[in-house]
Amino acid sequence: MTTRIKRGAPARSRASSRKPRTRQRSRANALLGRLPFSDAQLQKAATIGVLGLLTIGGIITAQFMGLPAMARDEVALAAGRAGFEVKKVEVRNVDKMNELKVYEIALAQKDRSMLNVDLEELRYELMGMKLVAPDAEGDAAGKRTAPTGWIADARISRQLPDTLIVDIVERKPVAVWNAKGKTMLVDAQGVPLELPRDQIDPKMLRIVGARANARIGDLTKLLDVAPALTPQVKEAEWVGNRRWNLTFHSGEVLALPEGADLSEAALVNFARMDGVNRLLGKGVTYFDLRDPERAYLRKPREPRPAPDSMALAEQ
């Protein structure tokens, strides 16, 4: 019995099996053709995707092997070589302080790669800038470092590819502080501030004396008990680290007693007497209210007549 082998049948089956694949490819090409991207753009995106997957895989592998820092450094170096490196700093909301110091600190990073810049560490470094402030309890030279205080807060962000944005929140000065021949500004918390670029407001309250800045809160509370007198106070001197002397714009000096309660009561009493009798601007140079029981006034001494005029008066 003979068997006939049809050699053409397998060929037709192979051809028929290939047709669906051709249809699938044509459909895929049609779908790709509808996308709003060119072949070059698609190829570039695919390359970036592959590189990203390789980078992520390398980081995961490094972490698994206990080498996360090395992987991070390699990625940061690669980013720096690709142009993601700190080259510019944009400082915002600066009014009084010298913004050049912000540039110096922000651009002084050892590693300038955008990925390696520690924003929180940079923030604390900006807020911890130092200056030399007069202090009675300082070192042998009578000085020690204290925070400048101009930067109450700083918000730092990255703007790719090469810019750091530094938003500064400045403190507000409330008084001029003079001590040991050095002049500074202080804020409501007594933080010493470097002198601003523009002129100091002549109407701003002046405080005098070592560590007077640390008592600015107590002084504010004291002046609040006599609001009618507050605009007339030109200067407040912290005497002997114990009490205040107030100097008015009209030139008079008011000596207050020690202790918050006694000094507030004395100032209220003086404000009441000034409201009734108009003490300020009447020729008295010194009011001493350190004794709660009595007040002492001092007037300028009258000039003594010359000898010739005295002889004529006797004749």
Side-chain angles (χ1 to χ4, degrees):
M1 184 175 180
T2 60
T3 303
R4 294 181 180 181
I5 299 174
K6 296 180 180 181
R7 296 181 180 180
R12 286 196 299 272
S13 62
R14 286 196 299 269
S16 61
S17 63
R18 289 175 184 174
K19 289 180 180 179
R21 294 182 182 178
T22 304
R23 286 197 201 94
Q24 291 177 359
R25 290 180 182 177
S26 61
R27 290 177 182 175
N29 292 334
L31 290 174
L32 292 176
R34 293 178 183 177
L35 294 177
F37 303 105
S38 64
D39 293 340
Q41 290 175 329
L42 292 173
Q43 185 176 1
K44 184 177 181 181
T47 303
I48 293 175
V50 171
L51 291 177
L53 291 175
L54 291 176
T55 301
I56 295 173
I59 294 174
I60 294 174
T61 303
Q63 289 179 340
F64 180 76
M65 297 176 62
L67 301 174
M70 182 182 298
R72 184 176 62 251
D73 293 341
E74 289 299 326
V75 173
L77 288 175
R81 288 192 293 267
F84 293 90
E85 184 179 5
V86 179
K87 297 179 181 179
K88 295 181 291 184
V89 176
E90 183 178 338
V91 182
R92 299 175 178 175
N93 301 321
V94 169
D95 182 29
K96 298 293 185 182
M97 69 171 294
N98 185 359
E99 63 185 45
L100 292 179
K101 292 189 175 182
V102 179
Y103 290 109
E104 291 174 2
I105 293 177
L107 292 175
Q109 305 298 311
K110 295 180 180 179
D111 192 341
R112 300 283 287 274
S113 172
M114 290 289 285
L115 299 183
N116 268 0
V117 175
D118 191 329
L119 301 185
E120 191 66 16
E121 182 179 351
L122 179 57
R123 172 178 174 268
Y124 281 114
E125 188 174 355
L126 289 172
M127 295 175 63
M129 289 192 300
K130 303 290 184 178
L131 61 82
V132 178
D135 192 336
E137 298 180 2
D139 54 20
K143 298 178 180 179
R144 68 181 182 183
T145 58
T148 62
W150 272 123
I151 301 180
D153 199 357
R155 294 184 289 269
I156 307 171
S157 59
R158 299 180 180 92
Q159 182 175 327
L160 298 178
D162 58 3
T163 305
L164 289 179
I165 306 297
V166 182
D167 285 295
I168 298 296
V169 180
E170 286 187 345
R171 294 186 185 270
K172 296 181 179 180
V174 298
V176 182
W177 178 30
N178 295 322
K180 296 188 175 181
K182 193 174 182 65
T183 301
M184 297 183 183
L185 298 178
V186 294
D187 72 342
Q189 285 73 44
V191 177
L193 314 171
E194 290 180 326
L195 294 179
R197 294 168 296 180
D198 53 358
Q199 296 293 327
I200 298 175
D201 186 355
K203 297 180 181 179
M204 187 174 292
L205 174 68
R206 292 181 176 268
I207 58 175
V208 180
R211 295 189 59 79
N213 65 309
R215 314 295 300 193
I216 188 68
D218 298 334
L219 177 61
T220 302
K221 183 179 178 182
L222 171 65
L223 296 178
D224 285 344
V225 303
L229 287 178
T230 300
Q232 303 182 59
V233 178
K234 177 182 179 181
E235 181 179 288
E237 180 183 5
W238 182 239
V239 182
N241 201 27
R242 296 178 294 111
R243 62 178 192 83
W244 292 101
N245 277 354
L246 304 181
T247 301
F248 298 95
H249 286 283
S250 50
E252 298 88 349
V253 176
L254 172 62
L256 296 173
E258 299 179 35
D261 294 338
L262 290 178
S263 60
E264 290 177 8
L267 185 58
V268 169
N269 188 31
F270 181 81
R272 186 183 302 111
M273 291 188 296
D274 179 66
V276 175
N277 302 313
R278 294 299 179 187
L279 301 177
L280 298 178
K282 297 296 184 180
V284 179
T285 60
Y286 189 82
F287 300 93
D288 191 343
L289 301 185
R290 287 177 291 175
D291 188 345
E293 301 296 331
R294 62 185 66 185
Y296 296 91
L297 310 180
R298 182 189 303 168
K299 291 186 176 182
R301 295 181 179 180
E302 297 181 357
R304 298 180 61 181
D308 294 342
S309 61
M310 291 178 62
L312 290 175
E314 291 176 356
Q315 294 178 0

